[in-house]
Amino acid sequence: MFCYQCEQTDRSDNLLLGCHSVKGNCGKDDRTATLQDVLIVICEAIGQYAVLLREKGVVDPTWAHRASYWVFTTLTNVNFNATVFQRMIADAIVLRDELKARYEAACTEAGETPVVPEGAAQFVPDPGMAGLLKQAPLVRVDANIDVLGADVVGVRNLNLYGLKGLCAYAHHAHALGHRTDETDAGIEKALAFLGDPPTDLDSLLGHALELGSLNLKVMEMLDAANTGVYGTPVPTQVRVTPVEGKAILVSGHDLGDLAAILEATKDTGITVWTHGEMLPAHGYPGLNKYEHLAGNYGSAWQNQHAEFAAFPGPIVMTSNCLIEPQPSYRSRIFTMGPVGWPGVRHLEHKDLGLLVKAAQALPGFATTDPERSITVGFGHDSVLANADAIVEAVKAGDISRFLVIGGCDGAKPGRNYYTEIAEKSGDDTILLTMGCNKFRINGHDYGTVAGLPRLLDIGQCNDSFTAVKIALALADAFDCGVNDLPLSMFVSWFEQKAAAVLLTLLALDIKNIRLGPTLPAFLTPAVVDVLVDKFALKPLGDPTEDLANAMAGA
């Protein structure tokens, strides 16, 4: 196998950064890694034929919907079940062949000669596992690196990983019944691009920025889906200490899965608790209306081994961020949606009775602890409702700067950097946080400034659109560009959703983003130099110096 799509990647060999043994640091084995690579190639071929069919006026929204789901399953810490990937590959091949046949039929009807796509459309996967493993070098993310070089392959993969994150966001919206033809077409086009990509850096970098622009539209679609179904988030206090009784823990990102669990457990006496990226769900009126949505338990995904072991009820993983379940809780963890682990029970909305029975059979919390809480729900509507006051406070000098401190959390040393930035920030700054990186800073009371809490939790990593919308609205209010605002970004990355968000920020030409704690392994030093030169992208340094420079606008 070879994989370097996330921060967990093996960096012990400076000449070959990446996990390239029989098992990756995330727990993915070479068999599953190969199947994921094959699934991506088949999805790229689906994109190639979908684009050709669009040129013939043949459009079907299910193509982008299904491809997005399949691509989502290949993200870091989502699905580790080789058997599931074999089924998905078989289904994807059926769809690819169907699109090919429809395209050729449309050409025949029009009296035209069909175009024969190159690249992914020409790949014929071996029907057996042994054969697929032999084909692995043809489909691995480092394919042709000896010819193309690490820079070209790295930027090719920047496109791939950005698309993976984009497809994850699209799936979250699709799951709530929201889609647009523009984003469907964009996903198909992006898959087709990767099916037969160019080999020059300029074209690849240009397309990466196009993906960033597309991802902004996808995140806007997801924002409309979340707020359209569950209402506009409002500032909400969330309990973080136990309440006596039976309990279920829900982690991940998928609000639709959480809603289904809440409905299934209504009037059962079972309390439902969020974990990790599900914390912002409490700010949505359509979810917070359930009185048994009791609070948040635990912190970010990388702490789940200890936190899941200590939780006295069943646990449900609804999207990404799954780590290999430990024996202490393996029998009481469930997966939903794209998530999977061999031997772990997978739930659909229709069979949540099994989850209810598991909760009733387990002990639950034995006591009610003294109440403590944190506040979430500062979506763009809530923040921008105070736009006039914020603008006046900036003009009066009461607010000196906005610091965006957010993104993915992780176990790698160096992430206390973000805690230090928050703790060392002045009392006249406003801190905007999102993603599970929030757990690095949300346990502290930062007080208020200009009548607002200094720490504003704007949501999941999925809610990056909120940060963008706030920034663009403030730029309009001040009649300036985003880079002229008193705004600095300290972004933590871990996996492919973060890659998609980074591309969106770059596509908006936002400068001076501080990214870390380490830079992605697929970004070679030469590519990093390009991003530093073009966008003033900044690797993390000393937090005190970085904060001083950011406060000075650098």
Side-chain angles (χ1 to χ4, degrees), residues 78-94:
V78 176
N79 200 305
F80 299 79
N81 195 326
T83 301
V84 171
F85 280 106
Q86 287 176 304
R87 289 200 300 265
M88 287 190 290
I89 287 170
D91 291 342
I93 289 172
V94 169

Side-chain angles (χ1 to χ4, degrees), residues 299 364 502:
S299 54
L502 175 63

